[in-house]
Amino acid sequence: MTTAPLELFTLQEGHGVPLLLLHGFPLDHRMWSDVVAHLPSGTTVLAVDLPGAGASPLGGEPASLEASADAVATTVRAAGVHRAVVAGLSMGGYVALALAERHPELVTGLGLVDTKSTADTDEARANRLRIAARVDSDQTVDAVLGMPGVLLGETSKHERGGLTARLEEWIRVQRPGGVAWSQRAMAARPDRTAVLTGFTGPVAVVVGEEDALTPPAEAEHMAAAAGTVVVQVPGSGHMSAIEAPADVAAALADLHDRVRAA
Ligand code: MLT
């Protein structure tokens, strides 16, 4: 079965090796807009909508992050991109690791933001499958509409009033089929810590200090495997890219510089 091409967006024109951004769940490429506003102006910045999210179709493949990674690779290669610094937040990080495993020649640097390399616990996996079944039977995304309450850190919930509504607006327009597929894909993912151990390019590991979903201990685990240090983002939860976009942009710009210097 072939992987369906995804929607590819040029968020900023520039030159050199592009930075390719992969979004979290249940969102789409728009979650990166504040980070892009803080990135150096000469960097080409690309983003995709992952399968079934935003404007991208779902192919006929069974749900898996391997299918997502293959779809990303097919899409960027069709656009003439054969090397990229790939950065993903949460689900986007899971896909970035699958991409580094399956298409290593494409990934010259790896940015892992509010994500983890370990697999789900049995309980987390069962919860995802329950949510996927509910989304399928309701044919609405109601089951994930409350997610901003866990995605955002305490500081954002108290001090960045508009973020909950902004996330809800992005979640509300997602398609139930894509949300259910992504949950099943994440539930099936293996531990990919060994991908980090074997990765030879520069790596950035970034985490919100208040991230309750992929907490700093998971970031430390990835950084130890990659031989790097964690960039902790103060006052931020699991959505550091929208809670503290300048800090995330600085870490990704530094990663991009390290790739250029390598
Ligand atoms: C995300 O932000 O992409 C999700 O929280 C990832 C997950 O559910 O593991």
Side-chain angles (χ1 to χ4, degrees):
M1 208 170 290
T2 55
T3 48
L6 305 175
E7 284 296 324
L8 178 66
F9 303 87
T10 301
L11 301 185
Q12 179 170 281
E13 305 270 5
H15 46 79
V17 180
L19 176 62
L20 172 65
L21 301 173
L22 306 179
H23 63 81
F25 171 88
L27 305 169
D28 57 44
H29 75 282
R30 289 174 296 172
M31 58 147 279
W32 290 110
S33 56
D34 293 352
V35 168
V36 176
H38 288 92
L39 284 169
S41 57
T43 308
T44 303
V45 186
L46 306 175
V48 292
D49 282 346
L50 290 168
S56 281
L58 262 186
E61 304 86 1
S64 79
L65 295 178
E66 291 79 6
S68 295
D70 291 353
V72 171
T74 303
T75 302
V76 298
R77 283 192 185 118
V81 174
H82 299 283
R83 292 169 76 235
V85 178
V86 179
L89 183 141
S90 198
M91 178 175 74
Y94 309 155
V95 176
L97 284 171
L99 198 60
E101 180 180 67
R102 296 168 71 79
H103 304 278
E105 66 292 343
L106 198 56
V107 184
T108 58
L110 201 47
L112 298 166
V113 184
D114 296 307
T115 190
K116 58 186 174 187
S117 58
T118 53
D120 279 349
T121 61
D122 288 347
E123 191 189 347
R125 191 174 299 116
N127 191 44
R128 286 193 198 281
L129 299 179
R130 245 191 324 269
I131 291 170
R134 190 177 145 205
V135 169
D136 272 346
S137 69
D138 290 358
Q139 280 303 299
T140 73
V141 297
D142 289 355
V144 292
L145 261 187
M147 276 188 77
V150 288
L151 295 175
L152 295 172
E154 289 308 311
T155 303
S156 293
K157 280 190 261 182
H158 291 108
E159 296 176 12
R160 300 179 182 113
L163 289 187
T164 298
R166 195 168 176 213
L167 280 172
E168 277 172 4
E169 193 186 313
W170 288 337
I171 295 171
R172 207 178 285 282
V173 296
Q174 300 303 319
R175 282 159 292 154
V179 168
W181 191 94
S182 297
Q183 276 291 30
R184 293 191 175 105
M186 289 190 282
R189 77 186 191 285
D191 187 312
R192 285 202 163 90
T193 306
V195 175
L196 277 170
T197 315
F199 188 74
T200 53
V203 176
V205 177
V206 183
V207 68
E209 275 180 4
E210 301 169 11
D211 186 340
L213 283 182
T214 52
E218 291 283 357
E220 293 292 349
H221 176 75
M222 290 191 293
T228 189
V229 292
V230 174
V231 176
Q232 291 231 11
V233 183
S236 176
H238 186 64
M239 285 285 123
S240 60
I242 66 162
E243 294 176 71
D247 293 30
V248 174
L252 297 184
D254 174 71
L255 171 68
H256 198 264
D257 284 348
R258 283 189 280 140
V259 168
R260 269 202 310 236

